[in-house]
Tab-separated table of all heavy atoms in Angstrom:
chain	number	residue	atom	x	y	z
A	19	LEU	N	-52.081	-5.121	-55.453
A	19	LEU	CA	-52.478	-6.524	-55.382
A	19	LEU	C	-51.423	-7.411	-56.032
A	19	LEU	O	-51.062	-8.465	-55.496
A	19	LEU	CB	-53.833	-6.721	-56.074
A	19	LEU	CG	-54.353	-8.151	-56.175
A	19	LEU	CD1	-54.471	-8.804	-54.802
A	19	LEU	CD2	-55.700	-8.176	-56.896
A	23	CYS	N	-49.187	-10.364	-54.291
A	23	CYS	CA	-49.143	-11.721	-54.842
A	23	CYS	C	-47.705	-12.181	-55.056
A	23	CYS	O	-47.356	-13.330	-54.742
A	23	CYS	CB	-49.913	-11.781	-56.167
A	23	CYS	SG	-51.714	-11.665	-55.993
A	33	ASN	N	-47.912	-21.535	-55.132
A	33	ASN	CA	-49.307	-21.118	-55.250
A	33	ASN	C	-49.805	-20.545	-53.919
A	33	ASN	O	-49.375	-20.954	-52.843
A	33	ASN	CB	-50.189	-22.295	-55.670
A	33	ASN	CG	-51.471	-21.807	-56.308
A	33	ASN	OD1	-51.580	-20.664	-56.728
A	33	ASN	ND2	-52.464	-22.664	-56.366
A	34	ILE	N	-50.710	-19.606	-54.025
A	34	ILE	CA	-51.338	-19.021	-52.845
A	34	ILE	C	-52.846	-18.976	-53.087
A	34	ILE	O	-53.314	-19.221	-54.202
A	34	ILE	CB	-50.801	-17.602	-52.560
A	34	ILE	CG1	-51.008	-16.691	-53.782
A	34	ILE	CG2	-49.340	-17.662	-52.164
A	34	ILE	CD1	-50.597	-15.248	-53.554
A	35	PHE	N	-53.596	-18.651	-52.020
A	35	PHE	CA	-55.049	-18.649	-52.116
A	35	PHE	C	-55.588	-17.258	-51.802
A	35	PHE	O	-55.045	-16.529	-50.974
A	35	PHE	CB	-55.644	-19.675	-51.157
A	35	PHE	CG	-55.259	-21.082	-51.486
A	35	PHE	CD1	-54.106	-21.636	-50.952
A	35	PHE	CD2	-56.040	-21.848	-52.344
A	35	PHE	CE1	-53.741	-22.944	-51.264
A	35	PHE	CE2	-55.682	-23.140	-52.659
A	35	PHE	CZ	-54.527	-23.690	-52.124
A	36	ILE	N	-56.661	-16.930	-52.481
A	36	ILE	CA	-57.249	-15.600	-52.362
A	36	ILE	C	-58.709	-15.709	-51.968
A	36	ILE	O	-59.469	-16.474	-52.568
A	36	ILE	CB	-57.129	-14.827	-53.695
A	36	ILE	CG1	-55.674	-14.513	-54.016
A	36	ILE	CG2	-57.922	-13.527	-53.646
A	36	ILE	CD1	-54.965	-15.594	-54.772
A	37	LEU	N	-59.095	-14.953	-50.944
A	37	LEU	CA	-60.495	-14.818	-50.559
A	37	LEU	C	-60.977	-13.461	-51.067
A	37	LEU	O	-60.384	-12.429	-50.745
A	37	LEU	CB	-60.649	-14.891	-49.043
A	37	LEU	CG	-62.030	-14.512	-48.478
A	37	LEU	CD1	-63.088	-15.507	-48.931
A	37	LEU	CD2	-61.982	-14.402	-46.956
A	38	LYS	N	-62.035	-13.459	-51.853
A	38	LYS	CA	-62.606	-12.218	-52.361
A	38	LYS	C	-64.045	-12.117	-51.867
A	38	LYS	O	-64.825	-13.060	-52.011
A	38	LYS	CB	-62.570	-12.193	-53.883
A	38	LYS	CG	-63.090	-10.891	-54.503
A	38	LYS	CD	-62.894	-10.899	-56.011
A	38	LYS	CE	-63.398	-9.608	-56.634
A	38	LYS	NZ	-64.855	-9.456	-56.541
A	124	VAL	N	-60.080	-8.210	-50.646
A	124	VAL	CA	-59.409	-9.486	-50.884
A	124	VAL	C	-58.407	-9.747	-49.765
A	124	VAL	O	-57.823	-8.817	-49.208
A	124	VAL	CB	-58.682	-9.521	-52.249
A	124	VAL	CG1	-59.663	-9.492	-53.399
A	124	VAL	CG2	-57.696	-8.379	-52.383
A	126	LEU	N	-55.106	-12.486	-48.987
A	126	LEU	CA	-54.203	-13.467	-49.570
A	126	LEU	C	-53.492	-14.233	-48.461
A	126	LEU	O	-52.924	-13.619	-47.548
A	126	LEU	CB	-53.138	-12.790	-50.445
A	126	LEU	CG	-53.546	-12.220	-51.799
A	126	LEU	CD1	-54.492	-11.034	-51.649
A	126	LEU	CD2	-52.319	-11.783	-52.593
A	158	ILE	N	-65.712	-15.745	-52.627
A	158	ILE	CA	-64.987	-16.575	-53.588
A	158	ILE	C	-63.586	-16.885	-53.067
A	158	ILE	O	-62.870	-15.980	-52.630
A	158	ILE	CB	-64.886	-15.862	-54.953
A	158	ILE	CG1	-66.282	-15.584	-55.514
A	158	ILE	CG2	-64.064	-16.684	-55.940
A	158	ILE	CD1	-66.295	-14.638	-56.683
A	159	ILE	N	-63.216	-18.161	-53.106
A	159	ILE	CA	-61.844	-18.581	-52.804
A	159	ILE	C	-61.249	-19.173	-54.072
A	159	ILE	O	-61.829	-20.068	-54.681
A	159	ILE	CB	-61.805	-19.613	-51.663
A	159	ILE	CG1	-62.298	-18.978	-50.355
A	159	ILE	CG2	-60.384	-20.155	-51.482
A	159	ILE	CD1	-62.336	-19.942	-49.180
A	160	ARG	N	-60.114	-18.649	-54.488
A	160	ARG	CA	-59.470	-19.111	-55.714
A	160	ARG	C	-57.968	-19.256	-55.500
A	160	ARG	O	-57.383	-18.629	-54.608
A	160	ARG	CB	-59.699	-18.107	-56.858
A	160	ARG	CG	-61.129	-18.017	-57.323
A	160	ARG	CD	-61.297	-16.950	-58.378
A	160	ARG	NE	-60.619	-17.270	-59.610
A	160	ARG	CZ	-61.155	-18.013	-60.576
A	160	ARG	NH1	-62.367	-18.524	-60.424
A	160	ARG	NH2	-60.497	-18.256	-61.678
A	161	LYS	N	-57.379	-20.085	-56.360
A	161	LYS	CA	-55.927	-20.159	-56.415
A	161	LYS	C	-55.412	-19.002	-57.271
A	161	LYS	O	-56.070	-18.591	-58.217
A	161	LYS	CB	-55.485	-21.491	-57.017
A	161	LYS	CG	-55.860	-22.702	-56.184
A	161	LYS	CD	-55.427	-23.985	-56.862
A	161	LYS	CE	-55.816	-25.211	-56.031
A	161	LYS	NZ	-55.444	-26.478	-56.704
A	162	TYR	N	-54.252	-18.513	-56.925
A	162	TYR	CA	-53.687	-17.371	-57.626
A	162	TYR	C	-53.591	-17.612	-59.132
A	162	TYR	O	-53.930	-16.745	-59.940
A	162	TYR	CB	-52.309	-17.068	-57.019
A	162	TYR	CG	-51.529	-15.974	-57.687
A	162	TYR	CD1	-52.142	-14.889	-58.311
A	162	TYR	CD2	-50.123	-16.003	-57.665
A	162	TYR	CE1	-51.399	-13.870	-58.895
A	162	TYR	CE2	-49.381	-14.999	-58.243
A	162	TYR	CZ	-50.020	-13.938	-58.870
A	162	TYR	OH	-49.278	-12.949	-59.449
A	163	HIS	N	-53.154	-18.807	-59.535
A	163	HIS	CA	-52.958	-19.062	-60.969
A	163	HIS	C	-54.285	-19.124	-61.729
A	163	HIS	O	-54.300	-19.074	-62.968
A	163	HIS	CB	-52.141	-20.332	-61.201
A	163	HIS	CG	-52.855	-21.600	-60.820
A	163	HIS	ND1	-53.847	-22.160	-61.589
A	163	HIS	CD2	-52.701	-22.416	-59.744
A	163	HIS	CE1	-54.282	-23.255	-61.012
A	163	HIS	NE2	-53.619	-23.447	-59.890
A	164	GLN	N	-55.415	-19.204	-61.009
A	164	GLN	CA	-56.726	-19.159	-61.665
A	164	GLN	C	-57.145	-17.727	-62.008
A	164	GLN	O	-58.073	-17.522	-62.786
A	164	GLN	CB	-57.793	-19.785	-60.758
A	164	GLN	CG	-57.617	-21.279	-60.546
A	164	GLN	CD	-58.641	-21.823	-59.571
A	164	GLN	OE1	-58.782	-21.319	-58.443
A	164	GLN	NE2	-59.376	-22.835	-59.984
A	165	GLY	N	-56.476	-16.773	-61.409
A	165	GLY	CA	-56.783	-15.369	-61.670
A	165	GLY	C	-57.620	-14.753	-60.565
A	165	GLY	O	-58.523	-15.394	-60.024
A	166	ILE	N	-57.310	-13.492	-60.227
A	166	ILE	CA	-58.039	-12.754	-59.201
A	166	ILE	C	-58.811	-11.631	-59.873
A	166	ILE	O	-58.218	-10.685	-60.400
A	166	ILE	CB	-57.087	-12.163	-58.146
A	166	ILE	CG1	-56.124	-13.238	-57.614
A	166	ILE	CG2	-57.871	-11.540	-56.998
A	166	ILE	CD1	-54.996	-12.671	-56.772
A	167	ASP	N	-60.119	-11.730	-59.865
A	167	ASP	CA	-60.975	-10.719	-60.477
A	167	ASP	C	-61.187	-9.595	-59.461
A	167	ASP	O	-61.882	-9.759	-58.470
A	167	ASP	CB	-62.312	-11.364	-60.863
A	167	ASP	CG	-63.206	-10.434	-61.662
A	167	ASP	OD1	-63.061	-9.212	-61.515
A	167	ASP	OD2	-64.058	-10.922	-62.417
A	168	PHE	N	-60.569	-8.432	-59.733
A	168	PHE	CA	-60.640	-7.331	-58.773
A	168	PHE	C	-60.615	-5.989	-59.495
A	168	PHE	O	-59.711	-5.715	-60.293
A	168	PHE	CB	-59.458	-7.426	-57.792
A	168	PHE	CG	-59.557	-6.509	-56.601
A	168	PHE	CD1	-60.655	-6.546	-55.759
A	168	PHE	CD2	-58.530	-5.628	-56.309
A	168	PHE	CE1	-60.744	-5.706	-54.647
A	168	PHE	CE2	-58.608	-4.783	-55.203
A	168	PHE	CZ	-59.716	-4.832	-54.366
A	171	TYR	N	-60.253	-5.839	-63.491
A	171	TYR	CA	-59.158	-6.576	-64.115
A	171	TYR	C	-59.021	-7.946	-63.458
A	171	TYR	O	-59.457	-8.148	-62.330
A	171	TYR	CB	-57.836	-5.818	-63.963
A	171	TYR	CG	-57.828	-4.462	-64.623
A	171	TYR	CD1	-58.145	-3.317	-63.902
A	171	TYR	CD2	-57.499	-4.304	-65.969
A	171	TYR	CE1	-58.146	-2.060	-64.487
A	171	TYR	CE2	-57.487	-3.060	-66.573
A	171	TYR	CZ	-57.810	-1.937	-65.825
A	171	TYR	OH	-57.813	-0.700	-66.419
A	172	VAL	N	-58.381	-8.864	-64.172
A	172	VAL	CA	-58.083	-10.183	-63.621
A	172	VAL	C	-56.571	-10.302	-63.515
A	172	VAL	O	-55.858	-10.236	-64.527
A	172	VAL	CB	-58.645	-11.312	-64.503
A	172	VAL	CG1	-58.277	-12.672	-63.909
A	172	VAL	CG2	-60.164	-11.184	-64.630
A	173	VAL	N	-56.086	-10.433	-62.278
A	173	VAL	CA	-54.653	-10.509	-62.016
A	173	VAL	C	-54.209	-11.968	-62.044
A	173	VAL	O	-54.757	-12.813	-61.337
A	173	VAL	CB	-54.307	-9.874	-60.655
A	173	VAL	CG1	-52.837	-10.067	-60.326
A	173	VAL	CG2	-54.666	-8.392	-60.664
A	174	LEU	N	-53.215	-12.253	-62.877
A	174	LEU	CA	-52.632	-13.586	-63.010
A	174	LEU	C	-51.121	-13.481	-62.800
A	174	LEU	O	-50.565	-12.379	-62.874
A	174	LEU	CB	-52.928	-14.156	-64.397
A	174	LEU	CG	-54.385	-14.485	-64.696
A	174	LEU	CD1	-54.742	-14.104	-66.118
A	174	LEU	CD2	-54.651	-15.967	-64.460
A	175	PRO	N	-50.455	-14.614	-62.538
A	175	PRO	CA	-48.995	-14.548	-62.453
A	175	PRO	C	-48.406	-13.972	-63.740
A	175	PRO	O	-48.745	-14.412	-64.833
A	175	PRO	CB	-48.592	-16.021	-62.268
A	175	PRO	CG	-49.790	-16.653	-61.631
A	175	PRO	CD	-50.973	-15.959	-62.244
A	176	HIS	N	-47.595	-12.936	-63.614
A	176	HIS	CA	-46.827	-12.323	-64.717
A	176	HIS	C	-47.612	-11.311	-65.546
A	176	HIS	O	-47.006	-10.569	-66.322
A	176	HIS	CB	-46.237	-13.389	-65.655
A	176	HIS	CG	-45.484	-14.463	-64.943
A	176	HIS	ND1	-44.326	-14.210	-64.231
A	176	HIS	CD2	-45.725	-15.797	-64.809
A	176	HIS	CE1	-43.877	-15.346	-63.704
A	176	HIS	NE2	-44.709	-16.315	-64.030
A	177	TYR	N	-48.934	-11.267	-65.458
A	177	TYR	CA	-49.673	-10.282	-66.255
A	177	TYR	C	-51.097	-10.134	-65.726
A	177	TYR	O	-51.533	-10.898	-64.878
A	177	TYR	CB	-49.702	-10.668	-67.740
A	177	TYR	CG	-50.476	-11.930	-68.050
A	177	TYR	CD1	-51.800	-11.873	-68.462
A	177	TYR	CD2	-49.886	-13.194	-67.929
A	177	TYR	CE1	-52.516	-13.025	-68.756
A	177	TYR	CE2	-50.591	-14.348	-68.211
A	177	TYR	CZ	-51.902	-14.255	-68.633
A	177	TYR	OH	-52.618	-15.394	-68.909
A	178	ARG	N	-51.803	-9.109	-66.269
A	178	ARG	CA	-53.223	-8.933	-65.930
A	178	ARG	C	-54.006	-8.683	-67.208
A	178	ARG	O	-53.470	-8.146	-68.179
A	178	ARG	CB	-53.413	-7.803	-64.928
A	178	ARG	CG	-53.402	-6.408	-65.489
A	178	ARG	CD	-53.613	-5.362	-64.405
A	178	ARG	NE	-52.403	-5.094	-63.666
A	178	ARG	CZ	-51.851	-3.876	-63.554
A	178	ARG	NH1	-52.412	-2.842	-64.139
A	178	ARG	NH2	-50.760	-3.688	-62.874
A	179	VAL	N	-55.278	-9.061	-67.196
A	179	VAL	CA	-56.149	-8.881	-68.352
A	179	VAL	C	-57.423	-8.177	-67.904
A	179	VAL	O	-57.713	-8.078	-66.709
A	179	VAL	CB	-56.506	-10.234	-69.020
A	179	VAL	CG1	-55.258	-10.885	-69.593
A	179	VAL	CG2	-57.194	-11.164	-68.030
A	181	ARG	N	-61.351	-7.838	-67.313
A	181	ARG	CA	-62.456	-8.739	-67.000
A	181	ARG	C	-63.303	-8.960	-68.257
A	181	ARG	O	-63.573	-8.027	-69.010
A	181	ARG	CB	-63.314	-8.119	-65.900
A	181	ARG	CG	-64.521	-8.940	-65.498
A	181	ARG	CD	-65.414	-8.151	-64.561
A	181	ARG	NE	-64.797	-7.939	-63.264
A	181	ARG	CZ	-65.215	-7.020	-62.390
A	181	ARG	NH1	-66.217	-6.228	-62.698
A	181	ARG	NH2	-64.617	-6.880	-61.223
Side-chain angles (χ1 to χ4, degrees):
L19 176 57
C23 288
N33 202 18
I34 57 176
F35 296 89
I36 293 88
L37 169 65
K38 183 175 180 293
V124 292
L126 287 67
I158 300 167
I159 295 178
R160 292 176 67 86
K161 296 178 181 178
Y162 176 31
H163 68 76
Q164 293 176 306
I166 310 169
D167 187 334
F168 191 56
Y171 298 94
V172 178
V173 175
L174 292 141
H176 309 296
Y177 66 96
R178 80 179 80 123
V179 295
R181 179 189 291 163

